[in-house]
Amino acid sequence: MSPSDLDRSAWAERFAAVALDNVTREYPYAAHHTTSGPDDRALPVELHPAFATSYDWHSSVHMHWLAARLVAFGLTASQEARVTSVLQAHLSADHLATEAAYLRGTPHYERPYGWAWLMRLAAEVSTSEAPAIRALAPGFAPVVDVLDELVTAWVAGAAHPVRHGVHSNSAFGLLLVLEGARALGRDELATTVSRAAVDWFGGDAGWPFAWERSGHDFLSAGFAEADLMRAVLPAAEFVVWARAFFAEIRAGDSVLTPTVVRDEHDPQQVHLFGLDLSRAGAARRIADALRATDPSDTALADLLDPAADVLLASGLQASVGEEYFSTHWLASFAWDAMEAREHAAG
């Protein structure tokens, strides 16, 4: 792909079509509800009136985030009207109150990945440049309150982070919660998350990138951790930390190259498309931070920058393809990587 093919403007309408299809598609739906007895037979839409679409709860949350983000970015009038109408219907105050109550009653549900995307969605709605989207913000108050409680209790009670490259990854979850907390003015929560990040990851060095990846990762444990520390540490401290953390990485390493997906109908293998996209976004943000802080030594940034475009291009087509195991979630990560790319260029 040419550089212009990686711009958001070239993909916004296709992503909007994917997002709209997802947030209105009720089935198939992989419910992760823990059944309490023989009479506990509620349909997904009864349990989750806001997020009973897009295959599963967490994917529904981040496809709603993508839809809201695209409205703020700018769509055709007809697409904007359709997307906005669906968001208004799904993200009503009553629906969000039900979601908040469910999370409070099942405090380990979707920890931390679903929590993180819900915090990001709340921040997006609350700060949106689109008035119709921002008008939904008051309904998110009970959701943000319960997320604040859940995240605070989680990090206080966990001595160790989870470093898997899937939903349970602690670093990725903390980063999205941190960004959301800052945007929403939840300063105490932001401080709590920052302290947990330093406690869990501050002493890491020489990350063994050669040990990554497994066959169903959609996150790089190393890149997710470095992306979090970029957001937590003062700029000069992050440069020192990053150089020690990335000490083992070399040009041509597999972590800087696209994955191989042999069966695009395998729901686990297609996670690897997401791995390429999530690495693209993280690599770009990390490189951008390094360059901005120490332009006299760009060796690490020069290693990450070219990899980011290659990784972004690798996962894009799957984001808008025909395979639902890919299209129910990938576009969210693609848009995030595109935003990181354009922020660096700007």
Side-chain angles (χ1 to χ4, degrees):
M1 290 185 179
S2 68
S4 62
D5 290 332
L6 301 178
D7 291 342
R8 289 182 295 167
S9 57
W11 292 83
E13 289 188 21
R14 279 180 283 181
F15 282 179
V18 167
L20 189 60
D21 175 70
N22 274 284
V23 298
T24 57
R25 186 185 297 200
E26 295 184 7
Y27 298 103
Y29 191 82
H32 301 294
H33 174 69
T34 300
T35 304
S36 61
D39 297 324
D40 186 4
R41 301 180 182 182
L43 292 171
V45 72
E46 296 172 313
L47 295 171
H48 303 297
F51 306 118
T53 56
S54 194
Y55 190 71
D56 53 27
W57 191 88
H58 53 257
S59 299
S60 185
V61 172
H62 61 79
M63 292 303 285
H64 279 81
W65 168 84
L66 177 62
R69 195 78 168 169
L70 287 166
V71 171
F73 175 76
L75 299 170
T76 64
S78 60
Q79 275 192 321
E80 179 177 335
R82 292 175 64 205
V83 171
T84 299
S85 176
V86 171
L87 291 175
Q88 290 171 330
H90 289 188
L91 304 180
S92 69
D94 286 347
H95 288 177
L96 292 169
T98 300
E99 298 286 358
Y102 187 91
L103 289 171
R104 181 168 277 112
T106 54
H108 304 295
Y109 181 74
E110 291 283 356
R111 183 186 77 189
Y113 183 78
W115 298 355
W117 277 107
L118 187 53
M119 183 66 82
R120 175 173 265 196
L121 173 60
E124 174 61 29
V125 168
S126 298
T127 61
S128 178
E129 296 180 4
I133 301 302
R134 195 168 60 252
L136 300 172
F140 277 86
V143 167
V144 176
D145 285 343
V146 73
L147 289 175
D148 195 327
E149 296 168 15
L150 291 172
V151 172
T152 299
W154 166 48
V155 299
H160 308 287
V162 175
R163 301 178 187 270
H164 297 315
V166 289
H167 307 85
S168 54
N169 182 278
S170 298
F172 181 83
L174 287 182
L175 175 59
L176 268 59
V177 170
L178 175 63
E179 292 174 342
R182 287 173 173 171
L184 293 165
R186 296 273 176 154
D187 296 339
E188 188 173 346
L189 177 59
T191 298
T192 296
V193 169
S194 296
R195 287 174 179 166
V198 172
D199 182 41
W200 285 346
F201 305 114
D204 287 0
W207 180 259
F209 283 99
W211 294 3
E212 298 187 21
R213 64 191 66 103
S214 81
H216 70 179
D217 285 348
F218 63 89
L219 298 168
S220 157
F223 273 106
E225 178 177 333
D227 203 11
L228 170 65
M229 298 307 285
R230 167 200 58 79
V232 167
L233 295 176
E237 291 183 28
F238 174 66
V239 170
V240 175
W241 183 92
R243 287 175 180 158
F245 185 76
F246 284 95
E248 301 298 322
I249 201 168
R250 299 290 184 272
D253 283 358
S254 62
V255 75
L256 300 175
T257 60
T259 58
V260 176
V261 178
R262 292 179 176 172
D263 183 358
E264 296 188 12
H265 303 293
D266 183 325
Q268 297 299 315
Q269 279 196 53
V270 298
H271 275 186
L272 296 173
F273 289 127
L275 176 62
D276 285 351
L277 295 171
S278 65
R279 283 184 294 162
R284 187 72 70 186
R285 287 185 290 269
I286 294 163
D288 195 25
L290 294 172
R291 287 187 191 281
T293 306
D294 186 2
S296 66
D297 183 357
T298 62
L300 179 54
D302 290 343
L303 193 63
L304 300 179
D305 263 336
D309 271 1
V310 174
L311 293 169
L312 174 56
S314 173
L316 269 178
Q317 197 56 49
S319 302
V320 295
E322 298 297 324
E323 178 50 68
Y324 188 53
F325 285 128
S326 294
T327 58
H328 82 265
W329 65 285
L330 280 175
S332 305
F333 282 87
W335 191 258
D336 179 77
M338 287 176 170
E339 289 190 341
R341 182 178 186 273
E342 293 188 20
H343 181 270

